[in-house]
Each structure stands twice: as C-alpha cells, then as structure tokens.
Amino acid sequence: MFVITLRFADKTKAPQFMEGHNAWIKRGFDDGVFLLVGSLQPNAGGAILAHNASPEEIERRAQEDPFVAEGVVRAEILVISPGRTDERLDFLKA
C-alpha cells in the first residue's frame, strides 16, 4: 500500500496541466491502483492512497503525472505494509 503526496512546487503552472493531471488520476482508478485521491489542506497539493502495484510501478506512475513531469508538484511516496486494519480494508493485506 502506498501514500503518494503531491506538494505544490509551482502552483501557477497548474491550470495548463490540469486536464492531463485529471486524466492521469482517472487512469489510476481505471487500472485499479488508486483507492482515494484528495486535497492536502490548506491548499498544499494532493494525496493518493494506492495499492495493487510494486514500488517501482508506483514510482513510474508518479513520474507520468503531468503535474510531476512539469514541476507543478513534488511527489513523495510512502510505502506502508498494512498490519492491522479495519475489516473493511482486509483486501489490503492480500
């Protein structure tokens, strides 16, 4: 399981790459890798909860985000090995 933080580096460039960034997010959900996408508050960037991929695949996927590629955000990837979860998240232990 992974938490990907996308912290703004140059927010002024965000509008010109928003369409590509949103398509990248949609692809993550369509591929079954992204579980949750949301905003870091207050207006600091975004965060993604991901699973079902290797660390290398997550790194590659993060680099493919137009926001990352164009310097709008800096990505940080945290790897989490779920040990104890609410039963609703048991699928993350597989």
Side-chain angles (χ1 to χ4, degrees):
M1 186 165 110
F2 307 89
V3 173
I4 306 164
T5 60
L6 303 171
R7 295 196 180 268
F8 280 122
D10 186 353
K11 196 183 305 187
T12 64
K13 297 191 311 187
Q16 70 190 57
F17 299 107
M18 185 61 75
E19 186 176 325
H21 175 68
N22 286 333
W24 174 81
I25 289 171
K26 181 182 181 315
R27 189 168 54 253
F29 279 107
D30 290 348
D31 292 346
V33 174
F34 292 173
L35 297 170
L36 172 146
V37 172
S39 296
L40 294 174
Q41 300 301 319
N43 202 22
I48 300 165
L49 182 61
H51 80 130
N52 206 23
S54 71
E56 296 80 18
E57 291 168 328
I58 293 295
E59 177 65 37
R60 178 188 46 76
R61 186 177 290 268
Q63 295 305 315
E64 291 173 352
D65 177 1
F67 271 18
V68 173
E70 298 297 333
V72 176
V73 297
R74 283 186 300 278
E76 179 183 4
I77 300 168
L78 303 172
V79 181
I80 301 172
S81 298
R84 183 174 176 181
T85 63
D86 181 282
E87 64 187 28
R88 294 170 290 180
L89 298 176
D90 279 349
F91 68 95
L92 292 173
K93 294 185 196 176

